[in-house]
């Protein structure tokens, strides 16, 4: 069993900051790429930022220069530092991880989602 548990969402004013965390736990052999997605009401889920096990990162154009993704491989945890938040960043943010469980195989797992609301 592998679980991703997110934390750090909330309500913030425009221009403010939030930091999201997501920890993978359970019977894990290794964690490959990790990332953050978001889904706003009536919109499709979109990739916000990703990071490989080797710490290579990629970002959606809409968040470049404002968001920073990082990870702690020893803790199987990924972070998303969000600065200069805008109302259009309002969404449910989901953590995703490409995990190899101890029993073998390889699957992508999702967190339960955390709400981020940015007021104008």
């Amino acid at each position: 069993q592998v679980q991703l548990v997110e934390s750090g969402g909330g309500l913030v004013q425009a221009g403010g900051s939030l930091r999201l965390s997501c920890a993978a736990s359970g019977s894990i052999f290794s964690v490959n790429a990790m990332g953050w997605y978001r889904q706003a009401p009536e919109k499709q889920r979109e990739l916000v930022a990703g990071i490989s096990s080797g710490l290579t990162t990629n970002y959606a154009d809409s968040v470049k220069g404002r968001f920073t993704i990082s990870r702690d491989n020893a803790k199987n945890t990924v972070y998303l530092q969000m600065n200069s938040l805008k109302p259009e960043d309002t969404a449910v943010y989901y953590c995703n991880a490409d995990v190899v469980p101890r029993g073998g195989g390889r699957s992508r797992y999702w967190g339960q989602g955390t709400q981020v609301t940015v007021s104008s």
Side-chain angles (χ1 to χ4, degrees):
Q1 294 281 353
V2 175
Q3 287 186 319
L4 301 183
V5 179
E6 301 152 354
S7 60
L11 173 64
V12 65
Q13 288 189 332
S17 298
L18 284 174
R19 188 189 194 215
L20 306 183
S21 299
C22 171
S25 63
S27 183
I28 296 172
F29 176 75
S30 65
V31 180
N32 302 312
M34 303 184 81
W36 290 94
Y37 290 71
R38 67 186 180 187
Q39 187 166 18
E42 301 182 358
K43 291 190 177 181
Q44 288 188 331
R45 190 173 296 189
E46 63 175 357
L47 175 66
V48 176
I51 185 167
S52 70
S53 57
L55 306 183
T56 299
T57 60
N58 62 286
Y59 296 92
D61 288 342
S62 59
V63 307
K64 282 180 180 176
R66 299 188 299 121
F67 291 9
T68 301
I69 190 170
S70 61
R71 65 188 285 174
D72 183 334
N73 287 336
K75 296 180 179 179
N76 290 330
T77 299
V78 64
Y79 307 95
L80 186 67
Q81 178 66 43
M82 304 185 293
N83 298 328
S84 302
L85 282 160
K86 304 176 180 180
E88 51 263 44
D89 294 319
T90 295
V92 177
Y93 283 70
Y94 296 92
C95 172
N96 177 269
D98 180 6
V99 177
V100 178
R102 290 191 185 279
R106 181 174 176 176
S107 295
R108 294 183 70 185
Y109 293 84
W110 291 92
Q112 79 281 5
T114 185
Q115 178 70 46
V116 171
T117 303
V118 184
S119 63
S120 58

